[in-house]
Amino acid sequence: MSLLKPFSKLPGLNTANILLVEGEEQFQQSLADALVEETAFTVNVRLAKSLPLPLENEESRPRIDLVVFIINLTSELSFQSAEASLKYLDPGYFLGKVCFMVTNARNASVPTEQLDAVRKLAASLHCPLLFAEDQTPDGVTNAAERLMTILKVAAGLVPMATSLYLSSLTRCTVPLDIDQPSFE
Amino acid sequence: MDDSTRRLLQRLIRRIPAPMLKPTLEKWGRLTVAQRQSMDYTQRKWPLTEKLLSICEENEWTTKHITELEMICVIDNPNQGMWRAFQLMDPEDDAHSLELTQFKEQFKSHLSELVRHVSVKIKKHTDEAVWIRIAWGDGFSRPNHLKPTYVVHHLQTSFVFVTSLTSKQKPLLSQALVLSTRHHAIKDANLSGRNLTAIRDLLMRQYEQVFPTKYSSPLEEKNQTPSNPHIEREQAGPFANRLQMACEAFGGGTLPQLQSAVYKLETKFRDQTNRNMTEREEPFRCVVKFESTNLLESLRHSASSGIASTPVTPLLSSIPLKGRNYFVITDNGPGPASQMHPSQK
């Protein structure tokens, strides 16, 4: 099994590498454009539809500092593809180098079970869960900024902070009454 | 002036969108210079209609003149109402050298033989299309100008596009068309849509076709490769493949706007887990309808993004290939031309 390993390559100088995994390949494009605008350091973005990543790129691929799974709540397929891709990540990534980003959470047609399922998944893996609005340029910029905060720590560019430390503060928690029926 | 003429003019002015009113009237050219100057186009439609009605009285326009205006307005704005495509079959030897004047005379004479009171207006548009407006009457009443049928035909092709035709009028129109275009039969092309230009482009393949190539490098430059060197796509190969196959099936660039595709299934129910239904002898009839503002664009996107599996199933790719959007699917082997085989899953 070709696992993606977090520490098997040397890091680049003043660079941060991020991998965006999205089944639908829509939001990742605009998010990538917003992420590379960072000027303080170089950001390299890799886009993928799902894991495992093709072996041909193994040599040229830099060390990935942060893996972001983008899940569209309106599509069941999106969630299943993200879940299936999780198997191909080395467990070392789950110490703060994986993040979940969810779009369309405000959509009225999304059943609450869908969001609960994503929450439970993120909580069980101790990863942060971010919500993003992908239709407007402002939403994209905001999502990119929040990702950048986590990316800087994961790439080691913030002194005195490691991604494991940050993840213990930002990880998703599931409220105890998540399985109770809600009265909305 | 006739009451029906007034009503016709009123309805017509209501239908023309306000910004198009001035250019349409000028194109029509039946207003004198003084009358044209007296029209104030910044007013709302109601006073403008009143003004036009009074000019109509002045100039003594008849229904014939108003229908001219209606034709101009429909030709400029053809994407309203439901258009159906028909195909003429079995041309005779001289069908390919058919001339406009001959066609006009023949069509008018044949149709007037079939229907006692009918009003036919034929006009040739700049892009080689012949537009025919038919107002139907019957043995007892005058032609009804409020519900005309419009027919568009490109001479020397075998396609005819029709809108607003009732089932009673259909055999009459078919007979007249077949005789005047020197063919033997006419059949339904199973294609309908709101947008006349779209269904015409689809049938005559006037959109960008993508052909299978062994070296797909031209397409790789065109696809959404991010131009920034810091952004890289991991699975670029499969992505380019899917895009290529989707474009081969549906076409590149902007696609003609179809609104729906209907599949009428008369196949047996097939599901291993449901013994009850699979054991029935009769076919399981159901109708599957796809609807969208631009159906071909959505189908192409679903193929290129991987939602629909590639290579594209012939059920979907035959929409642009055969130029139809109504299919009847049965289980049998090779059947008549209007049937198709379901793909084996």
Side-chain angles (χ1 to χ4, degrees), chain B residues 73-101:
Chain B
C73 126
V74 171
I75 292 179
D76 281 338
N77 197 3
N79 300 331
Q80 285 175 356
M82 204 53 158
W83 289 89
R84 288 185 199 289
F86 291 91
Q87 191 165 10
L88 297 159
M89 317 285 292
D90 307 326
E92 285 182 31
D93 295 327
D94 52 353
H96 295 293
S97 54
L98 191 63
E99 262 195 283
L100 180 64
T101 35

Side-chain angles (χ1 to χ4, degrees), chain B residues 70-336:
Chain B
E70 189 190 288
M71 254 188 116
I72 294 176
C73 126
V74 171
I75 292 179
D76 281 338
N77 197 3
N79 300 331
Q80 285 175 356
M82 204 53 158
W83 289 89
R84 288 185 199 289
F86 291 91
Q87 191 165 10
L88 297 159
M89 317 285 292
D90 307 326
E92 285 182 31
D93 295 327
D94 52 353
H96 295 293
S97 54
L98 191 63
E99 262 195 283
L100 180 64
T101 35
Q102 200 185 350
F103 171 72
K104 273 163 88 156
E105 279 170 21
Q106 296 256 318
F107 184 79
K108 281 191 180 160
S109 68
H110 281 126
L111 199 58
S112 354
E113 271 173 44
L114 291 168
V115 185
R116 183 88 65 84
H117 289 125
V118 72
S119 152
V120 179
K121 238 184 176 34
I122 303 188
K123 188 168 164 177
K124 178 148 188 280
H125 196 45
T126 43
D127 67 349
E128 303 305 314
V130 180
W131 283 74
I132 309 174
R133 177 188 189 274
I134 307 172
W136 305 85
D138 56 23
F140 306 106
S141 58
R142 293 182 44 221
N144 182 0
H145 282 282
L146 295 173
K147 293 197 172 69
T149 303
Y150 277 90
V151 178
V152 180
H153 176 50
H154 290 253
L155 286 177
Q156 281 113 36
T157 62
S158 56
F159 302 114
V160 181
F161 306 100
V162 185
T163 178
S164 321
L165 188 69
T166 66
S167 47
K168 273 205 249 172
Q169 297 157 351
K170 192 162 153 193
L172 306 168
L173 179 64
S174 316
Q175 173 94 320
L177 273 173
V178 163
L179 290 172
S180 50
T181 54
R182 321 282 290 143
H183 283 77
H184 280 293
I186 187 170
K187 77 166 175 65
D188 197 346
N190 285 326
L191 178 64
S192 62
R194 279 200 173 277
N195 205 316
L196 173 65
T197 31
I199 55 177
R200 193 193 58 204
D201 287 345
L202 188 69
L203 273 180
M204 306 213 208
R205 302 207 185 243
Q206 282 171 352
Y207 54 95
E208 188 187 326
Q209 308 273 324
V210 174
F211 298 101
T213 54
K214 191 163 177 209
Y215 302 103
S216 58
S217 37
L219 200 65
E220 263 168 30
E221 282 159 15
K222 240 192 343 187
N223 79 358
Q224 300 136 13
T225 12
S227 45
N228 197 315
H230 292 293
I231 305 177
E232 195 175 317
R233 217 171 249 291
E234 284 283 337
Q235 289 131 344
F239 179 80
N241 266 348
R242 282 199 306 261
L243 188 59
Q244 171 76 0
M245 288 202 271
C247 285
E248 274 173 35
F250 294 104
T254 18
L255 297 176
Q257 266 190 340
L258 274 192
Q259 282 79 35
S260 69
V262 175
Y263 293 85
K264 204 162 139 191
L265 299 176
E266 283 174 15
T267 51
K268 283 195 66 172
F269 193 89
R270 277 193 214 114
D271 183 3
Q272 299 301 337
T273 58
N274 193 337
R275 296 277 318 268
N276 242 344
M277 291 295 291
T278 2
E279 273 167 12
R280 293 214 181 160
E281 286 298 321
E282 322 88 56
F284 182 72
R285 288 172 210 278
C286 77
V287 173
V288 178
K289 186 167 184 189
F290 290 91
E291 264 185 10
S292 165
T293 39
N294 191 340
L295 185 71
L296 291 176
E297 181 69 55
S298 2
L299 288 176
R300 183 178 66 177
H301 184 256
S302 61
S304 69
S305 64
I307 299 175
S309 58
T310 43
V312 183
T313 157
L315 284 169
L316 290 177
S317 63
S318 49
I319 298 177
L321 194 66
K322 298 199 181 162
R324 331 166 30 159
N325 64 356
Y326 177 77
F327 299 90
V328 175
I329 303 178
T330 61
D331 271 328
N332 309 335

Side-chain angles (χ1 to χ4, degrees), chain A residues 95 160-170:
Chain A
L95 299 172
M160 312 299 271
T162 62
S163 46
L164 186 54
Y165 178 58
L166 185 65
S167 78
S168 64
L169 299 174
T170 57

